[in-house]
Amino acid sequence: MKKRILSMFLLAIPMLTFAQEKGLDQQIDEAFGNATGWFVDIIFYQIPFTDTISIYWVLFPLILGAMYFTFYFNFINFKGFFTSINIVRGKYDDLEERLNHKVEISKSKFSDEEDNPDTIRIEGHEGEVSHFQALTAALSATVGLGNIAGVAIAVSIGGAGATFWMIIAGFLGMASKFVECTLGVKYRDIEEDGTVYGGPMYYLTKGLKNKTLGKILAGLFAIFVIGGSFGGGNMFQVNQAFQLVQNITGGSESVLAGKGWLFGLVMAILVGIVIIGGIKKIAKVTDKIVPFMVAIYVGAALFVIFANYNMIGDAFSQIFNGAFSPEGIAGGAVGVLVQGFRRAAFSNEAGIGSASIAHSAVKTKYAASEGMVALLEPFIDTVVVCTMTALVLIITGNVTAENASLNDAQAILLTSGAFESAISWFPYVLTIAVVLFAFSSMISWSYYGFQGWVFLFGRSKKMEYTYKVIFCIFVVIGAAASLGSVIGFSDAMVFAMMVPNMIGLIILAPKVKEELSKYMTAIKSR
């Protein structure tokens, strides 16, 4: 299989080179944009609020849903925080052993599974990865370029005050992650060989009483997650990583100039090696990469912050005052709030449903235990990493209106320059971190897309390898071509995932409450 994938890569190289010389990628991009522009316009439609402020409609269900879950679950995002940390540490692993013992006793009382299907179903929930591995696999898909480039754009438009609302949105998003990941474990499928299939596709079809509605919503989600995996979770990641690598090695004079296909080929081979092994192999990689890259990035940010310790107080003052008395160009307090919420929602993907796919593979018999673990994601991604980036930018004086028009590639360089002002060699480290961010995002998103693919086309090995080969080819294309409309369409598909997912989350929230009560009772009875 590996030889077949390599052969397809080699065949794709001359095609990509020809495409670049003839500008075929631009022609494809324009044609694709004309065909799909209507969909992108719908998903990213902005509702006019004032003369200067427009709000993406997708933010309303994401933020309002997060607020609803925060209240409905009695502030689980705050009250459950330390319990979540203890679960990751393994403090409650003995609960799994106790349940195993109870299941064995229950099995002996029944002659066949049909007499007590719930008890037997619980026994089958083994999973493939640990709580920590599931967390890092999901984090690897969210912690990335948005935390570096997106924050720079947000604070440039909304001023330092956007950071405050970004933090608030991050805390609220913890509740949404808790709900969707609890459902992901509760309604997952486990094959006889232990392979797990989970995510919104399954809790929509199995959880909703209206089976027709459930199948329609699940099918839409599967289509959207496949599209998102090829673009935003693949092409965009490798394209931006290549741009930064090319810049750090000389820009237009770099030896890599015009050789995006070569960078893409190397990345595709590395991605292929990992994703062929499935979620277990992905988790083994992410549980090493994610802590490493987050530690490096946050450590460097703290160095910059404490190197300018005399400015820390002023930075927090700007963040708090700017949240209510804005000085950015967003157009008042609402504009600042919108920028903060927008960046948080686009960064941690709470409510999108993607993370529940990774968390579904966890080894647990209590669905709510993984929901508790998942609520740490927005905290790490948004409250910690995004805030660190914002503080560095504020302290180094890089929050200016002139930077509001930057694109992601330019914004990464802005953030790099901010770190460089305190750590001269950090741009090289940041380049490595960005490549790791991109790589880890791609391998996790390949798993998300794969789950949608097999839901639609079946779980055969042929379908599995077909998807994975296509995914790896898109890595090469993403690095070599300028397909803005393709990536824009893919991003729209990512946020379109929110529509079927949020409908399911609201309807199934009572089921999550039952699972939470069951798990908290088990913890108290230890």
Side-chain angles (χ1 to χ4, degrees):
M1 190 62 213
K2 291 180 180 179
K3 291 182 179 179
R4 190 183 306 171
I5 293 175
L6 184 58
S7 298
M8 294 187 74
F9 289 154
L10 295 174
L11 287 172
I13 293 172
M15 294 170 61
L16 291 168
T17 305
F18 175 78
Q20 285 186 304
E21 290 175 354
K22 299 297 182 180
L24 183 60
D25 55 342
Q26 285 84 2
Q27 295 177 33
I28 293 173
D29 194 42
E30 290 177 9
F32 191 85
N34 292 333
T36 62
W38 62 272
F39 180 78
V40 177
D41 291 341
I42 290 174
I43 299 301
F44 291 128
Y45 176 74
Q46 298 184 54
I47 301 172
F49 193 81
T50 68
D51 292 338
T52 57
I53 303 173
S54 295
I55 305 174
Y56 288 102
W57 75 268
V58 294
L59 291 179
F60 284 101
L62 287 173
I63 299 302
L64 293 177
M67 292 177 65
Y68 170 73
F69 295 134
T70 296
F71 287 104
Y72 185 79
F73 291 99
N74 196 24
F75 295 92
I76 185 69
N77 33 0
F78 300 100
K79 293 183 178 180
F81 184 79
F82 290 107
T83 302
S84 302
I85 293 176
N86 286 331
I87 295 171
V88 176
R89 288 176 51 231
K91 182 176 180 179
Y92 304 121
D93 285 353
D94 61 315
L95 292 176
E96 304 289 339
E97 297 302 321
R98 290 187 185 185
L99 190 56
N100 273 335
H101 181 64
K102 290 180 181 179
V103 168
E104 288 300 321
I105 294 175
S106 297
K107 279 186 67 178
S108 67
K109 296 180 180 179
F110 299 96
S111 58
D112 56 57
E113 295 183 4
E114 293 182 0
D115 290 329
N116 193 352
D118 288 335
T119 302
I120 304 304
R121 183 182 65 81
I122 288 174
E123 187 209 13
H125 279 192
E126 292 300 333
E128 297 185 82
V129 297
S130 68
H131 286 297
F132 180 71
Q133 288 178 321
L135 176 64
T136 56
L139 267 174
S140 70
T142 57
V143 177
L145 302 177
N147 305 80
I148 303 172
V151 174
I153 296 172
V155 295
S156 294
I157 297 174
T163 309
F164 177 85
W165 297 112
M166 196 160 47
I167 294 170
I168 296 298
F171 278 120
L172 293 175
M174 293 165 71
S176 297
K177 280 287 175 93
F178 163 75
V179 177
E180 60 191 18
C181 293
T182 299
L183 290 172
V185 176
K186 179 176 176 60
Y187 292 105
R188 63 187 176 176
D189 278 355
I190 301 182
E191 297 279 80
E192 290 184 3
D193 64 357
T195 303
V196 176
Y197 297 93
M201 299 83 70
Y202 296 91
Y203 57 72
L204 290 171
T205 52
K206 297 163 73 173
L208 298 184
K209 289 184 179 180
N210 187 326
K211 298 302 179 184
T212 302
L213 175 63
K215 288 179 180 178
I216 292 172
L217 294 177
L220 287 173
F221 185 91
I223 293 170
F224 295 151
V225 75
I226 292 170
S229 73
F230 287 143
N234 183 340
M235 295 171 69
F236 172 77
Q237 301 293 332
V238 71
N239 187 278
Q240 296 297 291
F242 173 66
Q243 295 300 323
L244 192 59
V245 169
Q246 180 176 292
N247 180 78
I248 205 71
T249 55
S252 60
E253 303 299 321
S254 170
V255 294
L256 290 175
K259 295 185 178 66
W261 63 267
L262 180 60
F263 178 83
L265 181 62
V266 173
M267 289 290 280
I269 292 172
L270 295 175
V271 167
I273 290 171
V274 175
I275 68 176
I276 285 175
I279 187 62
K280 289 183 179 178
K281 188 70 173 288
I282 291 171
K284 285 181 180 179
V285 174
T286 58
D287 74 359
K288 297 175 179 63
I289 289 180
V290 172
F292 174 71
M293 66 188 188
V294 170
I296 286 180
Y297 191 76
V298 173
L302 289 173
F303 180 86
V304 174
I305 292 167
F306 287 114
N308 299 275
Y309 66 91
N310 58 316
M311 301 176 68
I312 296 176
D314 181 62
F316 278 105
S317 178
Q318 287 184 53
I319 290 172
F320 186 78
N321 293 332
F324 304 98
S325 304
E327 297 178 356
I329 65 170
V334 174
V336 176
L337 180 149
V338 168
Q339 286 303 317
F341 275 20
R342 174 190 173 189
R343 180 45 49 195
F346 284 25
S347 177
N348 62 47
E349 299 172 12
I352 299 295
S354 53
S356 67
I357 299 174
H359 284 281
S360 296
V362 72
K363 295 176 182 177
T364 186
K365 295 179 178 66
Y366 290 98
S369 70
E370 191 58 23
M372 298 284 281
V373 170
L375 66 79
L376 293 173
E377 275 181 55
F379 179 81
I380 297 170
D381 175 275
T382 306
V383 179
V384 176
V385 180
C386 286
T387 302
M388 290 292 104
T389 303
L391 282 172
V392 169
L393 290 165
I394 294 166
I395 286 175
T396 56
N398 282 279
V399 179
T400 62
E402 291 74 19
N403 296 328
S405 60
L406 297 179
N407 59 36
D408 281 348
Q410 295 168 326
I412 288 177
L413 299 180
L414 174 66
T415 306
S416 177
F419 277 98
E420 186 178 11
S421 64
I423 310 173
S424 60
W425 43 264
F426 189 75
Y428 297 98
V429 177
L430 183 61
T431 300
I432 295 173
V434 166
V435 172
L436 289 176
F437 282 148
F439 177 72
S440 63
S441 292
M442 286 189 287
I443 60 176
S444 291
W445 265 98
S446 74
Y447 182 67
Y448 296 166
F450 165 69
Q451 289 282 354
W453 183 274
V454 296
F455 180 81
L456 292 178
F457 303 113
R459 299 174 182 176
S460 67
K461 284 294 181 182
K462 181 179 179 181
M463 285 295 101
E464 176 183 346
Y465 288 128
T466 298
Y467 171 81
K468 290 177 178 178
V469 168
I470 294 172
F471 187 88
C472 290
I473 290 174
F474 268 88
V475 176
V476 185
I477 295 173
S482 300
L483 298 174
S485 293
V486 175
I487 295 172
F489 176 69
S490 174
D491 284 345
M493 296 190 87
V494 170
F495 284 94
M497 289 159 57
M498 173 272 300
V499 178
N501 184 59
M502 194 58 74
I503 292 172
L505 298 189
I506 296 294
I507 296 174
L508 295 172
K511 296 290 185 181
V512 177
K513 183 167 279 192
E514 291 175 9
E515 292 295 330
L516 177 61
S517 177
K518 184 193 303 181
Y519 186 58
M520 296 310 293
T521 299
I523 288 178
K524 291 176 182 177
S525 63
R526 289 175 72 240

